Amino acid sequence: MAQVRRYIVAGGSIFAALGYAYFMQAGAASPPGPARAAQVAQPVEISRIELTSAPALPLMPDPATLPDAQVTRAVARDIAVPGDLPSEERAPSFECEAEMTASVREAAIVRLDLDAPCHPNARVTLHHNGMMISALTDVDGGARIDLPALAESAVFIAAFEDGKGALATATIDDLTLYDRFVVQWSGDARSLRLHALEYGADFGMPGHVWSEGTQAEAEGFVMRLGGDVPGPALRAEVYTFPTASAMREGTVALRLEAEVTDGNCGRDVEAQGISTEGDGAALRVQDLVLPMPGCEATGEFLVLKNLFNDLNIAQK
């Protein structure tokens, strides 16, 4: 098996905020050329999301309950219309409303059950504290999605492309027991991967955690969201560490891995990092624009250090 080699790219001022970037390449004859530096914007505040919808129309009355004078049958002849009849009103229609419930599970995870019978096999965007994820409903318009909570008083919004939607809330009592880190982007499912290296671990060693495998001795976990939605979609990976019940002192380093694919080579990959600390501090939001190498580098990996600060674990 070819040895995996990493190449550190000389940094400019950008690395003061983001750290080093380097390539991981298996079996390359020579190291690739230096990649362009990633750009990180200043933290931004999460804007509040509001959905609006048309007011519900009154239900259609049952003809059997109407007086005889209000039930007519059309005939093929002219009839005289009395002048004292009420003016014609717009015919009422039925409204198909979506509903969503939220139930709290272990590790500050919320299970959302969406019921939208008028939106079968439809895309829906889930919003929660700045995190946005694409999902799909089934043939009956239903969906079940587990999301890591980012707030104790959590609000979740499901928004369909036609403007319809649903809302659910939940109280997350154990959120302060965990530290949570989110990387979200729009596009190819393979574009980005979040890796956590616990207690000084390296890639593939005990304590390495990512969405495709957790090595022995690891305490945290990574959830991949939106990965089953075909084509370009809103996706995220979320790392959770149980800070309050950590087994020992040490640090957790987080690395963002970007794979060069046919869909992103030679283009900019835009992403956003969101992190929260167990002490209830405000969310930290960081925008990222990552210029990808050309398509000759397809199959290689760009790894970014220090998108998030290392998590320092002090044993209680």
Side-chain angles (χ1 to χ4, degrees), residues 59-298:
L59 295 177
M60 178 79 76
D62 185 352
T65 64
L66 296 176
D68 292 341
Q70 292 181 290
V71 181
T72 62
R73 176 174 299 178
V75 294
R77 62 185 177 86
D78 295 333
I79 59 173
V81 179
D84 57 352
L85 287 179
S87 59
E88 182 179 357
E89 297 180 358
R90 186 177 62 178
S93 62
F94 293 102
E95 176 124 2
C96 187
E97 296 183 354
E99 296 182 352
M100 186 167 63
T101 60
S103 55
V104 182
R105 303 175 65 80
E106 295 181 356
I109 303 296
V110 175
R111 172 160 291 177
L112 300 175
D113 285 291
L114 177 62
D115 182 20
C118 286
H119 293 84
N121 299 316
R123 283 189 180 230
V124 60
T125 301
L126 300 172
H127 300 259
H128 169 58
N129 267 51
M131 184 167 60
M132 295 183 292
I133 304 299
S134 295
L136 292 174
T137 61
D138 58 24
V139 294
D140 299 317
R144 170 170 286 183
I145 308 101
D146 289 342
L147 288 184
L150 299 178
E152 289 184 276
S153 298
V155 178
F156 302 89
I157 298 173
F160 290 99
E161 294 177 350
D162 63 359
K164 301 293 180 65
L167 179 146
T169 61
T171 300
I172 319 299
D173 294 328
D174 61 345
L175 182 63
T176 57
L177 304 180
Y178 301 91
D179 282 290
R180 190 152 274 168
F181 302 86
V182 181
V183 173
Q184 62 180 8
W185 71 98
S186 175
D188 190 343
R190 296 186 299 151
S191 290
L192 298 175
R193 288 286 194 276
L194 184 62
H195 296 260
L197 305 173
E198 299 178 359
Y199 303 112
D202 202 348
F203 287 86
M205 303 298 292
H208 173 209
V209 185
W210 65 311
S211 59
E212 296 188 7
T214 299
Q215 300 297 324
E217 303 179 14
E219 297 182 43
F221 61 94
V222 171
M223 293 180 64
R224 188 164 178 82
L225 307 172
D228 58 347
V229 179
L234 298 172
R235 312 178 194 276
E237 290 204 343
V238 184
Y239 171 70
T240 300
F241 186 84
T243 311
S245 59
M247 302 296 292
R248 53 196 171 107
E249 295 183 353
T251 61
V252 177
L254 289 113
R255 303 287 183 262
L256 180 62
E257 178 185 80
E259 180 179 359
V260 184
T261 69
D262 292 337
N264 65 26
C265 59
R267 304 179 183 179
D268 289 345
V269 172
E270 297 183 2
Q272 189 177 67
I274 305 175
S275 59
T276 180
E277 298 180 359
D279 60 5
L283 295 178
R284 180 174 178 265
V285 181
Q286 207 167 5
D287 292 326
L288 168 68
V289 178
L290 177 61
M292 299 299 288
C295 294
E296 68 278 2
T298 298

